[in-house]
Amino acid sequence: MANLEINFCGVDFKNPVVAASAEPTANYKNMERVIETGAGGLVVKTMTDSEAMMKLSHQTRWRYLDEKHQVCHGKIPRLFTFYGRTGLEERPPNEWAKDVTKIRKLGDKEGCIIIGSIGGTTVESWVNLARIMEDTGVRMMELNFGCPHPSQMEGTKTGMVTGQDKLLGYEIVKSVREAVSIPIIIKLTPQVVDVVEMAKAVHEAGADAVTLINRFVGFLVNPETGKPIILGAAGVGGPWVKPLTLRWIYEVYNKLSIPISGTNGPYDAKDVVEFMMAGATTVQMCSVVMAKGYRWLSKTIKGLDDFLDSHGYSFAKDIIGIAAKSALTYAQMAELPKERAKINEDLCTLCKKCINSCFYNALSIEDDKIVVGDCWGCGICSCVCPEGAIRMEGGPVNE
Ligand SMILES: Cc1cc2nc3c(=O)[nH]c(=O)nc-3n(C[C@H](O)[C@H](O)[C@H](O)COP(=O)(O)O)c2cc1C
């Protein structure tokens, strides 16, 4: 068994798998079920003073969509889209704080780190919520600068509306930092030009860590009715979003020395490994848990352990950032030798799919054989060949 313990912002977690702030952490009973799975931590549903965001929780609508963006009924594919709307915690802060305190006590007993989450509407309300949250005894808290829905609700100044305003974000973080003493983690929105810039601003304002990244805003159409799916715009994400998330995790990891919690796109243990190798210390899971049930968290923890064992890693912490550190810049890549397609004539059936997909016109047929001319090494032909008859050789990629 590998050692799964990690340290995030000075707090020891028994493993890096965390239930993200959402409906599975929106009341005591649900959070109790998360704790039973053995998760390293959970982030409570965001406490807010926004009446509009409390009300939105009562108009909640969610759909799993398949690869054609049709609503799933029963079978949910691996690369599903999770599409929908919900608000923040519906109960007033002081009410919600009672449940959070209770679950924090259970978390302390069971070794599950309870992480607070707040979403204010003014600098003063962020500070007020932070104090209420700190009084519950949570070990750290997220500031939700990423919720996608306020952007669609005129006058609702929280979530990503905050996360898109660097000056306001800086001011909020600075004020909260002065008001509370536990670590504060800023959950950012991907809907900015440069997430690194925003992460830098909140770090300079006193944030201890960032959570990368919340969901996007989407809009999907039912062509049969000519109407939007579930009436209008909605939050959108799912496992297909993983590369977009990992891109920001690896950039922030390489450019700033600030701990990262990863969210948006993990499906299973292998994804958790990828998030960590890109630079995340903890990995939060939400929409896959909502599809598969709480036990998915236990399965993921077990899968992480198995992966580490089978790959010779004794400690989970050892994989954090290893892929980010070995990533080359585009300039460095330009210095490397080019790859070249190599055809296995025994397997080739002369179907010409490789020729159709060679946009450098490097492939031709001569004497009933595919001949490789001036190959630029792009690798498309090796992907489209149905017989596996093409391999790329001579360069550093080899995959
Ligand atoms: C139903 C639902 C409710 C959510 N509520 C919150 C919330 O209250 N606060 C928050 O910070 N993020 C919220 N999120 C975002 C999740 O915490 C998570 O970051 C996001 O779903 C991406 O992770 P995933 O790919 O595992 O689903 C919510 C997401 C969903 C799907």
Side-chain angles (χ1 to χ4, degrees):
M1 266 180 60
N3 182 333
L4 298 186
E5 287 166 20
I6 50 96
N7 183 285
F8 182 63
C9 296
V11 175
D12 290 325
F13 286 64
K14 62 185 171 192
N15 65 64
V17 177
V18 170
S21 173
E23 270 50 5
T25 63
N27 56 59
Y28 182 82
K29 194 170 171 32
N30 289 4
M31 292 190 283
E32 199 179 22
R33 294 179 74 182
V34 170
I35 291 176
E36 280 164 16
T37 67
L42 67 80
V43 189
V44 308
K45 180 85 184 160
T46 302
M47 172 189 279
T48 188
D49 65 317
S50 166
E51 295 283 337
M53 286 305 292
M54 288 179 192
K55 271 198 199 133
L56 188 66
S57 285
H58 289 273
Q59 295 161 28
T60 185
R61 272 198 182 79
W62 293 99
R63 298 290 183 272
Y64 286 94
L65 307 175
D66 65 17
E67 63 278 7
K68 292 181 182 159
H69 290 149
Q70 285 173 354
V71 176
C72 296
H73 295 287
K75 192 171 169 1
I76 298 174
R78 166 71 172 79
L79 284 188
F80 63 78
T81 290
F82 199 39
Y83 187 70
R85 288 182 293 276
T86 201
L88 299 177
E89 173 55 36
E90 43 136 4
R91 279 172 285 172
N94 285 319
E95 279 299 305
W96 184 215
K98 289 180 195 159
D99 261 15
V100 176
T101 307
K102 220 170 120 195
I103 203 69
R104 194 268 305 155
K105 288 182 182 159
L106 184 65
D108 285 352
K109 208 165 125 230
E110 302 296 329
C112 177
I113 305 299
I114 308 300
I115 302 164
S117 172
I118 58 169
T121 53
T122 62
V123 176
E124 294 69 34
S125 80
W126 280 98
V127 168
N128 186 34
L129 292 170
R131 289 198 172 116
I132 296 172
M133 191 52 84
E134 186 176 45
D135 285 346
T136 66
V138 291
R139 305 287 293 280
M140 54 181 68
M141 80 176 92
E142 274 187 354
L143 274 57
N144 183 351
F145 281 18
C147 178
H149 309 297
S151 70
Q152 305 300 306
M153 301 162 74
E154 215 176 311
T156 305
K157 282 202 106 188
T158 187
M160 78 179 244
V161 177
T162 313
Q164 288 177 323
D165 184 335
K166 210 156 81 173
L167 288 180
L168 177 62
Y170 182 93
E171 197 189 342
I172 292 166
V173 175
K174 202 162 182 335
S175 305
V176 171
R177 178 66 296 156
E178 283 162 11
V180 298
S181 55
I182 56 174
I184 55 175
I185 306 149
I186 316 306
K187 184 168 180 180
L188 297 176
T189 172
Q191 305 239 158
V192 290
V193 174
D194 189 349
V195 172
V196 181
E197 274 298 299
M198 197 65 201
K200 191 161 173 265
V202 297
H203 187 33
E204 283 167 4
D208 297 276
V210 285
T211 295
L212 303 177
I213 47 182
N214 211 310
R215 290 155 51 88
F216 291 87
V217 184
F219 186 79
L220 278 166
V221 172
N222 178 342
E224 300 305 323
T225 61
K227 291 186 175 160
I229 292 179
I230 60 166
L231 308 172
V236 65
W240 54 269
V241 116
K242 179 181 67 180
L244 305 179
T245 305
L246 296 193
R247 176 265 170 124
W248 287 121
I249 291 178
Y250 115 84
E251 278 206 35
V252 169
Y253 181 87
N254 278 352
K255 291 182 181 160
L256 308 175
S257 55
I258 181 166
I260 299 164
S261 181
T263 179
N264 208 8
Y267 181 87
D268 56 13
K270 188 177 143 282
D271 284 341
V272 169
V273 168
E274 292 175 30
F275 269 67
M276 294 182 75
M277 288 180 170
T281 299
T282 61
V283 182
Q284 305 185 15
M285 302 181 92
C286 172
S287 46
V288 68
V289 177
M290 292 175 76
K292 303 256 182 198
Y294 295 95
R295 298 313 294 176
W296 193 255
L297 290 166
S298 318
K299 209 175 159 193
T300 304
I301 296 160
K302 164 89 174 59
L304 174 64
D305 192 14
D306 290 347
F307 177 92
L308 294 172
D309 270 352
S310 62
H311 289 73
Y313 296 108
S314 303
F315 298 91
K317 66 180 169 54
D318 289 350
I319 66 172
I320 298 169
I322 61 173
K325 283 184 208 137
S326 69
L328 302 186
T329 64
Y330 278 24
Q332 288 168 325
M333 292 174 206
E335 301 299 318
L336 295 169
K338 269 196 196 133
E339 272 143 32
R340 191 174 160 77
K342 171 122 170 66
I343 316 289
N344 181 336
E345 284 158 16
D346 293 338
L347 297 177
C348 176
T349 60
L350 293 178
C351 72
K352 297 192 193 151
K353 288 202 167 122
C354 56
I355 295 179
N356 288 340
S357 289
C358 181
F359 296 93
Y360 302 101
N361 303 313
L363 302 175
S364 56
I365 297 184
E366 282 173 34
D367 299 330
D368 285 343
K369 284 180 188 161
I370 300 283
V371 175
V372 184
D374 184 14
C375 175
W376 289 38
C378 73
I380 284 189
C381 56
S382 67
C383 293
V384 299
C385 174
E387 309 300 334
I390 308 181
R391 288 277 165 271
M392 303 307 295
E393 287 192 348
V397 178
N398 291 329
E399 62 185 359

